[in-house]
Amino acid sequence: TFFNTIYHELWHLSSSVMQNNIKFSGFSQNAFGRAINEGYTTLLTERYFPDPNREDSSYPIQRRVMQIIEMIVGQDKMEQLYLRANLKGLIENMTEYASEKEIMSFISDMDFVLDYLENTKFLPFKKGLLHKAFNNISEFLIKIITKYLVIQLKGEEKIYEEILNCDVMNILMPISIRIDINGESYVLLDVEKFYHTLQNEFNSNAIYK
């Protein structure tokens, strides 16, 4: 709706600054990081300006991914970093769960997916690259979520089945849906593979070491 758009753009306005001819806006610097920035801006708009008549979320793929990133980094920290246009700070906070190179590649893959969705008419030859980008994003999310849970549960007497019923799973299930783009099917997060990866971590007793 009109007001949703206004609120969305106000978030962009309140989180943007120009320095040395570089536009820092939320979690983007110029064009880099635009996808995660739009996703988190959408998440904030829906959180602080809820609209019961909203038919669908803008940037739904990007918003779902940023829900996971926020779960890992923490809501207060994420919002502070966003409002200060501190992409570097976000990356630094995520290096506990992945290398800087992996994080940068993830951001680039997210940007590629958004660029593809906005320019499908002249990018049909890049379907293979789109599949690769989705696979990379899924692998990245599986890695950081698993690492996050291992860290959170280290030394605690919790079993695998309990984890599958926690709030984390409520966030992950909507992420696992198949996405149809121009007749092709893509998976944003392979939950079956995530369960397998998590179970392997638990079976290796990683959380109790």
Side-chain angles (χ1 to χ4, degrees), residues 120-180:
T120 53
K121 63 182 179 181
F122 60 86
L123 289 175
F125 61 92
K126 291 189 176 181
K127 283 185 179 180
L129 294 177
L130 186 60
H131 275 290
K132 183 178 180 181
F134 270 106
N135 288 338
N136 290 343
I137 292 167
S138 181
E139 293 283 345
F140 179 82
L141 293 177
I142 288 170
K143 176 176 182 174
I144 64 171
I145 297 166
T146 301
K147 184 73 176 291
Y148 167 78
L149 290 175
V150 166
I151 292 173
Q152 292 296 311
L153 300 174
K154 191 171 184 178
E156 294 188 18
E157 297 295 329
K158 290 195 176 184
I159 60 175
Y160 177 70
E161 288 75 12
E162 288 178 339
I163 304 306
L164 299 186
N165 293 323
C166 74
D167 291 341
V168 174
M169 297 304 119
N170 293 330
I171 294 176
L172 295 188
M173 290 313 296
I175 310 293
S176 67
I177 63 170
R178 289 190 173 273
I179 301 161
D180 292 322

Side-chain angles (χ1 to χ4, degrees), residues 25 40 58 62 64 80 85 109 151:
S25 180
Y40 198 64
S58 58
Q62 295 74 25
R64 288 168 179 154
Q80 290 174 17
D109 284 326
I151 292 173

Side-chain angles (χ1 to χ4, degrees), residues 17-35:
V17 64
M18 287 289 294
Q19 292 182 358
N20 300 322
N21 294 321
I22 299 174
K23 183 180 180 181
F24 296 85
S25 180
F27 294 135
S28 66
Q29 292 184 15
N30 289 337
F32 182 73
R34 190 170 74 89

